Structures are given as structure tokens and as C-alpha cells.
């Protein structure tokens, strides 16, 4: 009897309450609302006996809020990124967590880890195979920088004429600075004069333009790229991609990072690109990529970026929202012209 009471008491010490976001219904149009994504509180055990072999109990610290998430709430399988989130299931996200309990000898309590499969929850239990890296607290790099600056994007060559769309966003701001480090001439497109000032004065872009003020994209690209475009990082798709294809040089490269201008419409309503024939005559290489495909390069890339950050050669603009309750508003802020830089959620300190 006494042993049973003791075991029960011990089990209760491992119980935690965890807030989590789950998908109630799909949102094919517009931005998701509380009709689609719901916050609930659950209670479960983090006792070592409850953690399956090869799994970790994680306390979430930071979430990275990225536009691709929108494509997983539509309910439409149109080839975008990842499979759709399942109804009534907790959504997953790229983030940083702290190991609370480990059932894998490679990890111990207190380790800081990164994963693209964390639940949007305060606590979660995940397979250790979903972890792609540990964070060294002694590196001198802040945790937010691991979710903003340490990203693998493209490979422009020295002397290239480079255009970055969504240039003040979480990916664009870093991509432009890396291109400058590599000796490129870098132009950025943004959605406001404030963002235009930011990319030129803080991120070192050679020039840029506010696409909301330009009535003729072909004209502004002709002005800014009299010698054509060698490299275009596409974050927006639609009319911008179409205009760029009128100005590409032979053997130009176009990595497709995202198409944020098109996410809130079903595919039949999205802007078409009518001049893909330009790719044939110019032998252009246009290729989509996903960050998870390049996780094997993360260690080497992180070392390179740590040097750039410490030397002040790469800067970032980060908006940190506090509390898991801010997830829905944080996600929808990406589709607002007011958003600048990388959006993160600090769940735990």
C-alpha cells in the first residue's frame, strides 16, 4: 500500500500542463483565424518511464514563424512544401528546445536542441531522429540568431548581379548580406519605404525598390539591372517572378524559397507566370529547395555564420513575441506589410 502511494506521488511530480495549438478546420482562403486554429491545455507525464526508447521530452524555448506554415493549413494538396497538417492534431514547427528527459544516450537533460518537428506546444515528446543539431551555449551566438541568421540559402558567385525579393524578411535579409560578403552587387525589393531604408542602411544592400510604389516592375528592373540579373532569390512568386524572367542573363539561377504573395489563394486563383519560355533561350536554372534537405550542411554553415555574426558582417532584425498564445497572431503578421525581419515566439526563457 505504501509503495503504491509513493509511486503515485512520484508520478504526479512529473506531470505538466502544456498549452498547444491544434488544427480544427482547414483555411483554403485568406489568413487562418480561431475558427481554424485553436489553443488548448493538456496534462501529461514527463516521467522517464513514460518516454519511449529513442525519444526525448522537450521544453520548448523558441519557435520560428515562417511563411511556409500557411501552406499546410489549406487542405489542398497542390505540391507546396510539406503534407497538410491533420485535423485535430497539434501542428509542428521549426524551433529550439531544452531536453527535460532523455531516453537516448546521445542526449542528456539540459541539452539545447534544434528540430523542424517540435510541436507548437510548451512541452512535447519527439523521436530523437527529428533532432538535427545541438546548440553550444558557449558559442557566443544568441538563440534567436540560430533561428534567423543560421540558414542555408543559395550560392551566388562573386561579381553576380543579385536580386532578393522580400529583402527585409527573415530569409531575405540574411541572403542579401551573404551575397554582399561574396562580392555581389545586391538589390532588394521590399513593401515599404521603411524596409527600403533598412536594407540599404543596416544590411548593406547596394540599392532597392518599394514594389508597392512601382507601377511598372519591368521599368524598375531595367533601371536597376542595366546588365541583367544573374541570381534571383524568389520569396514571393507571382508578378515579381514573371518580371524577373524578362531580365535574366544567360545561365541565371533562380532558387525558389517561397511564394508568399500566393499563399492565401487556392492554386486556380494564383498569378500565372506567362514567360517561362525565357528560361529556355537563356538556359536558366530555376530550382525549389527546402531547408530540411540541407540539414546535413548545418554544422559547417553554422561555424561560418558564427564568424560573420561575431565580426558584425551579418546583422539581423528580429521581432520576438512572448508566449505560445501569440502563435496565430505571429503567423498572420507575416502577411502584413508592417512585418519586418524574422518573427520568433519565445515560449520559455
Amino acid at each position: 500500500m505504501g509503495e503504491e502511494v509513493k509511486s503515485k506521488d512520484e508520478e504526479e511530480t512529473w506531470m505538466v500542463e502544456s498549452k498547444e495549438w491544434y488544427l480544427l478546420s482547414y483555411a483554403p482562403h485568406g489568413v487562418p483565424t480561431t475558427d481554424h486554429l485553436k489553443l488548448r491545455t493538456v496534462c501529461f507525464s514527463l516521467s522517464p518511464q513514460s518516454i519511449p526508447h529513442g525519444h526525448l521530452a522537450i521544453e520548448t524555448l523558441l519557435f520560428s514563424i515562417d511563411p511556409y506554415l500557411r501552406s499546410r493549413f489549406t487542405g489542398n494538396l497542390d505540391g507546396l512544401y510539406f503534407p497538410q497538417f491533420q485535423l485535430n492534431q497539434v501542428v509542428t514547427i521549426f524551433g529550439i528546445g531544452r531536453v527535460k528527459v532523455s531516453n537516448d544516450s546521445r542526449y542528456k537533460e539540459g541539452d539545447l536542441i534544434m528540430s523542424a518537428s517540435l510541436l507548437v506546444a510548451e512541452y512535447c515528446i519527439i523521436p530523437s531522429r527529428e533532432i538535427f543539431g545541438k546548440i553550444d551555449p558557449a558559442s557566443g551566438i544568441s538563440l534567436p540568431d540560430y533561428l534567423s541568421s543560421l540558414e542555408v540559402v543559395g550560392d551566388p558567385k562573386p561579381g553576380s548581379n543579385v536580386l532578393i525579393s522580400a529583402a527585409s524578411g527573415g530569409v531575405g535579409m540574411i541572403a542579401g548580406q551573404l551575397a554582399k560578403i561574396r562580392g555581389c552587387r545586391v538589390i532588394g525589393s521590399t513593401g515599404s519605404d521603411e524596409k527600403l531604408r533598412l536594407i540599404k542602411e543596416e544590411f548593406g544592400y547596394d540599392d532597392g525598390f518599394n514594389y508597392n510604389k512601382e507601377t511598372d516592375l519591368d521599368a524598375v528592373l531595367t533601371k536597376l539591372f542595366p546588365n541583367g540579373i544573374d541570381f534571383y532569390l524568389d520569396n514571393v512568386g507571382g508578378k515579381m517572378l514573371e518580371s524577373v524572367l524578362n531580365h535574366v542573363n544567360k545561365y541565371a539561377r533562380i532558387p525558389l524559397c517561397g511564394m508568399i504573395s500566393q499563399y492565401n489563394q487556392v492554386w486556380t486563383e494564383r498569378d500565372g507566370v506567362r514567360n517561362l519560355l525565357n528560361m529556355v533561350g537563356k538556359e536558366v536554372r530555376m530550382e525549389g529547395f527546402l531547408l530540411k534537405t540541407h540539414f546535413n550542411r548545418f554544422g559547417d554553415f553554422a561555424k561560418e555564420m558564427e564568424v560573420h555574426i561575431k565580426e558584425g558582417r551579418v546583422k539581423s532584425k528580429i521581432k520576438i513575441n512572448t508566449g505560445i498564445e501569440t502563435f496565430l497572431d505571429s503567423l498572420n503578421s507575416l502577411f502584413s506589410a508592417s512585418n519586418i525581419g524574422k518573427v520568433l515566439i519565445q515560449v520559455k526563457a
Side-chain angles (χ1 to χ4, degrees):
M1 181 71 175
E3 288 298 324
E4 290 180 3
V5 171
K6 182 179 179 181
S7 297
K8 183 178 180 181
D9 289 343
E10 288 179 347
E11 179 66 23
E12 287 181 351
T13 64
W14 290 100
M15 298 301 291
V16 295
E17 284 191 346
S18 178
K19 294 176 182 176
E20 60 184 24
W21 285 90
Y22 70 100
L23 183 63
L24 180 64
S25 65
Y26 291 115
H29 298 274
V31 295
T33 70
T34 52
D35 291 334
H36 309 104
L37 289 162
K38 293 285 189 181
L39 182 66
R40 66 189 176 195
T41 300
V42 298
C43 188
F44 62 93
S45 174
L46 297 182
S47 70
Q49 294 77 19
S50 67
I51 310 301
H53 179 70
H55 285 63
L56 309 172
I58 303 295
E59 179 183 34
T60 307
L61 303 181
L62 283 170
F63 288 143
S64 175
I65 305 300
D66 300 299
Y68 82 90
L69 288 167
R70 175 65 188 93
S71 69
R72 303 190 70 183
F73 300 129
T74 65
N76 299 313
L77 296 177
D78 59 0
L80 284 179
Y81 296 104
F82 302 98
Q84 293 293 291
F85 289 125
Q86 297 300 302
L87 294 178
N88 300 313
Q89 297 296 308
V90 183
V91 299
T92 58
I93 203 166
F94 184 90
I96 292 173
R98 180 186 293 117
V99 176
K100 297 292 289 183
V101 182
S102 171
N103 199 350
D104 185 317
S105 60
R106 295 172 296 174
Y107 301 92
K108 65 181 185 300
E109 181 181 354
D111 281 348
L112 299 178
I113 57 89
M114 288 179 290
S115 173
S117 301
L118 292 182
L119 300 185
V120 183
E122 293 174 305
Y123 295 90
C124 63
I125 298 173
I126 63 173
S128 57
R129 65 176 180 271
E130 300 293 349
I131 306 301
F132 68 84
K134 290 184 186 181
I135 292 176
D136 179 5
S139 69
I141 304 301
S142 71
L143 293 186
D145 273 330
Y146 272 94
L147 294 183
S148 60
S149 299
L150 303 184
E151 296 189 26
V152 179
V153 285
D155 187 27
K157 305 303 180 185
S160 297
N161 291 310
V162 173
L163 173 63
I164 308 290
S165 60
S168 66
V171 173
M173 64 180 178
I174 304 302
Q177 292 176 84
L178 289 179
K180 285 296 298 178
I181 289 173
R182 297 183 185 190
C184 301
R185 176 176 176 268
V186 184
I187 308 296
S189 70
T190 72
S192 73
D193 289 342
E194 179 186 3
K195 295 177 182 180
L196 184 58
R197 180 200 61 76
L198 178 73
I199 66 171
K200 291 196 290 185
E201 296 182 7
E202 293 193 34
F203 299 152
Y205 279 63
D206 293 289
D207 209 335
F209 62 95
N210 175 358
Y211 60 81
N212 283 320
K213 282 190 170 181
E214 300 294 339
T215 58
D216 188 337
L217 290 175
D218 280 316
V220 73
L221 292 178
T222 297
K223 175 184 176 183
L224 292 173
F225 291 96
N227 298 315
I229 297 171
D230 300 304
F231 182 97
Y232 170 52
L233 178 65
D234 186 28
N235 285 299
V236 299
K239 292 180 174 60
M240 183 67 72
L241 175 58
E242 184 175 79
S243 295
V244 167
L245 287 174
N246 288 331
H247 298 269
V248 288
N249 289 328
K250 196 160 188 177
Y251 309 125
R253 292 189 60 200
I254 304 177
L256 301 175
C257 181
M259 295 189 176
I260 194 171
S261 71
Q262 309 297 301
Y263 287 161
N264 289 324
Q265 295 88 33
V266 296
W267 75 269
T268 53
E269 298 174 354
R270 293 173 184 153
D271 292 326
V273 178
R274 299 166 295 182
N275 56 350
L276 290 174
L277 187 60
N278 291 348
M279 294 180 61
V280 178
K282 296 292 183 67
E283 298 182 67
V284 173
R285 178 181 174 184
M286 182 159 60
E287 181 179 5
F289 72 93
L290 295 174
L291 188 60
K292 67 176 184 178
T293 304
H294 303 278
F295 281 165
N296 64 312
R297 298 173 54 193
F298 186 85
D300 291 339
F301 186 76
K303 292 177 183 177
E304 175 188 342
M305 288 298 299
E306 286 172 1
V307 174
H308 292 327
I309 293 170
K310 288 177 179 178
E311 293 179 351
R313 302 179 74 188
V314 170
K315 303 174 182 178
S316 58
K317 193 80 170 179
I318 301 173
K319 168 67 174 175
I320 300 179
N321 296 324
T322 303
I324 196 170
E325 298 85 357
T326 67
F327 171 68
L328 183 57
D329 288 341
S330 297
L331 175 64
N332 289 341
S333 74
L334 300 181
F335 303 94
S336 165
S338 63
N339 179 61
I340 297 177
K342 182 75 173 180
V343 177
L344 303 176
I345 295 177
Q346 182 171 320
V347 183
K348 300 282 185 177

